[in-house]
Amino acid sequence: MTAKIIDGKAIAARIREEIKRKVDERVAKGLPRPGLATVLVGDNPASQTYVRMKQKACAEVGIESFGYHLPKDASQEEVEALVEQLNADPRVHGILVQLPLPKHLDEERVLSKISIEKDVDGFHPINIGRLAQKGREPLFVPCTPAGVMVLLKEAGVDLEGANAVVLGRSNIVGMPMALLLVRANSTVTICHSRTKDIPAHTRQADVVIAAVGRPRMVKADWIKPGAVVIDVGVNRVDDPTAKKGYRLVGDVDFDEVKEVAGAITPVPGGVGPMTIAMLLQNTLKAAELADKKRASQA
Ligand code: NAP
């Protein structure tokens, strides 16, 4: 059996087209162009690359981006003051603080300062709290898990009553992923670094989401035949034949797992493009929320 490949790149491209159409429509109607502010603190090269990619993606769909770059020794007060300034800026509908922040900064305090109406990353404690509560709706859902949910829907996966195993429990991927699956009525198991015998859990799963950051950890004999496997992991492995000397692989051993799974996402070209598409979608939603607020105050 060879798995169906879930093409995140193609699905994300379709979503970006749709966002562009909606942005063009609203600008033609005289509504403000959606704006995303990115806050980068320090010189982490990976963070710089992520911010650049997000700004480029914004430009492609007509979302304006406002880049802010603070030095690596910026104080807690300086970062929080910038967030407050952006909260008050009507051109800015979404605020993205690129994580991780330098160690001396209190990340949770910074994220808590973002207005929940501009929290397009969905990391504000109120948005996460609402995600965890029955009958409550977060304004924004974290982009990577939100993207995974779209991939599962597009692949026609029935989550109702399904056994889902999430590998990883981080604030940005594993935990919100598990919460979204619970909301979709799956029975969810979360595995992490202290879990005993992870394969015993994954072998029972109809859906496996891998978000651990360990190259090719998930093997074919961990997977129930026909299960759906979503690989969030992005890991650099040495490859002297590659131009850069490395290449990117997921947390799933794609070549062997694809022979067992019913459907699988590749790395790259699976979850990654969806994360950015969801950020753009959240920014458009933030602009729409601001329209409603203005209208109600008029
Ligand atoms: P993280 O904060 O490092 O969390 C990793 C999680 O995996 C933790 O919960 C950890 O357990 C668990 N873990 C680590 N080693 C394990 C092992 N050997 N067995 C079982 N569990 C283990 O990472 P993250 O930010 O969630 O990211 C996870 C992966 O997704 C990374 O490869 C990252 O690059 C990728 N990612 C991709 C996207 C995208 O858009 N495609 C977005 C975000 C992240 P403990 O909690 O016990 O420490």
Side-chain angles (χ1 to χ4, degrees):
M1 177 174 180
T2 301
K4 170 182 154 188
I5 310 295
I6 304 173
D7 187 347
K9 206 170 155 188
I11 296 168
R14 232 176 43 228
I15 294 171
R16 287 207 311 267
E17 277 294 306
E18 178 73 359
I19 294 169
K20 183 174 184 326
R21 194 182 58 71
K22 289 186 179 161
V23 169
D24 290 347
E25 244 173 52
R26 52 179 287 128
V27 172
K29 273 198 259 173
L31 289 166
R33 189 175 285 287
L36 174 74
T38 56
V39 177
L40 176 66
V41 186
D43 306 313
N44 179 329
S47 293
Q48 285 175 325
T49 305
Y50 288 136
V51 166
R52 259 199 318 274
M53 280 165 62
K54 290 167 188 175
Q55 289 172 337
K56 184 168 168 270
C58 281
E60 281 167 8
V61 298
I63 292 177
E64 196 159 355
S65 56
F66 306 94
Y68 293 84
H69 192 171
L70 296 177
K72 62 175 183 297
D73 57 356
S75 68
Q76 183 78 26
E77 290 68 32
E78 281 169 312
V79 182
E80 289 183 21
L82 174 57
V83 169
E84 296 287 13
Q85 176 197 321
L86 298 172
N87 281 340
D89 187 337
R91 299 168 309 158
V92 170
H93 301 102
I95 302 171
L96 179 147
V97 175
Q98 185 64 44
L99 302 179
L101 288 171
K103 290 262 180 299
H104 68 282
L105 295 171
D106 181 338
E107 184 177 292
E108 198 198 344
R109 255 178 60 199
V110 171
L111 296 177
S112 308
K113 289 282 171 200
I114 298 175
S115 153
I116 62 162
E117 288 152 3
K118 297 192 177 190
D119 177 36
V120 287
D121 253 342
F123 297 151
H124 191 291
I126 292 182
N127 274 324
I128 291 287
R130 287 186 184 168
L131 187 65
Q133 290 183 315
K134 198 172 172 168
R136 307 276 159 83
E137 287 301 325
L139 287 175
F140 301 100
V141 172
C143 300
T144 301
V148 171
M149 294 304 281
V150 174
L151 291 178
L152 291 169
K153 186 159 184 244
E154 289 278 333
V157 178
D158 184 7
L159 293 172
E160 185 84 22
N163 285 333
V165 171
V166 179
L167 305 178
R169 57 175 167 180
S170 71
N171 290 341
I172 65 168
V173 191
M175 193 54 78
M177 185 72 250
L179 295 172
L180 283 168
L181 290 165
V182 170
R183 287 171 89 92
N185 295 329
S186 296
T187 302
V188 181
T189 304
I190 304 174
C191 298
H192 45 77
S193 67
R194 314 291 167 86
T195 303
K196 290 177 184 143
D197 198 359
I198 293 178
H201 294 283
T202 53
R203 280 185 203 118
Q204 307 295 320
D206 305 304
V207 177
V208 175
I209 317 283
V212 289
R214 299 279 177 267
R216 302 192 192 98
M217 184 175 99
V218 177
K219 300 294 179 190
D221 65 357
W222 291 30
I223 300 300
K224 182 167 86 172
V228 176
V229 180
I230 306 287
D231 191 353
V232 181
V234 180
N235 309 289
R236 275 187 186 192
V237 292
D238 291 340
D239 180 357
T241 67
K243 215 160 89 189
K244 293 181 179 158
Y246 69 86
R247 65 194 174 92
L248 299 179
V249 300
D251 290 344
V252 175
D253 194 327
F254 182 84
D255 289 336
E256 59 173 78
V257 172
K258 78 174 188 327
E259 300 304 323
V260 183
I264 187 169
T265 57
V267 176
V271 175
M274 293 302 294
T275 298
I276 294 193
M278 294 298 104
L279 173 67
L280 302 174
Q281 198 167 71
N282 280 350
T283 306
L284 175 60
K285 182 179 175 187
E288 290 168 352
L289 284 173
D291 297 342
K292 281 197 195 123
K293 199 169 170 182
R294 263 196 326 277
S296 73
Q297 287 167 349

